[in-house]
Amino acid sequence: MSQYNPLLARRVVTDIGRTQNAIDGALKKLTTLATDVLEAFAEAQVSDAATQPTLEGLAEGFNTIVAGRRAFVDVHRQLIDLKMSSNLRSVEIGCEPGPICPWIEPAADLRAVA
């Protein structure tokens, strides 16, 4: 059974959440960009033939990010599987400290610095 540091595990969980938000944020920005590009093309009355390569590039970029998101989700599942076969199996590390997820006291040899 693997023995993971609960404090490091919580950092990993935080990083997972931030990374997922960044990926989803990139997808949202890309959809906004695509809408703005389409509106700009329409207003400028650019031909469909001229705009097609740009739209295909935007679609390819979107698909690339979605594929990366899939890989990230798969890694997230793998990390959950690793947690479930470790010393942290019954430790709630994916939540804020509170009644359901008690705070884990840092090791005695650590000191707080301002």
Side-chain angles (χ1 to χ4, degrees):
M1 176 184 288
S2 298
Q3 298 292 313
Y4 295 110
N5 177 328
L7 295 175
L8 284 175
R10 282 214 181 135
R11 281 187 12 209
V12 168
V13 168
T14 299
D15 292 341
I16 287 170
R18 288 178 179 163
T19 303
Q20 187 68 50
N21 287 339
I23 293 168
D24 289 350
L27 290 170
K28 290 175 189 176
K29 292 287 187 189
L30 191 52
T31 59
T32 301
L33 173 62
T35 300
D36 291 344
V37 166
L38 286 167
E39 288 178 4
F41 285 162
E43 184 176 301
Q45 298 179 345
V46 180
S47 74
D48 293 340
T51 61
Q52 188 63 28
T54 301
L55 295 178
E56 288 173 356
L58 285 169
E60 184 179 337
F62 189 88
N63 287 336
T64 299
I65 295 171
V66 170
R69 188 180 191 276
R70 163 52 55 207
F72 183 77
V73 168
D74 290 344
V75 166
H76 189 172
R77 283 191 181 132
Q78 292 168 4
L79 289 170
I80 291 169
D81 290 344
L82 289 170
K83 178 208 182 257
M84 296 309 288
S85 64
S86 77
N87 63 307
L88 300 178
R89 178 179 179 79
S90 62
V91 177
E92 291 294 335
I93 60 169
C95 61
E96 294 294 321
I100 297 174
C101 190
W103 176 249
I104 299 170
E105 291 297 324
D109 59 338
L110 298 179
R111 62 186 172 97
V113 293

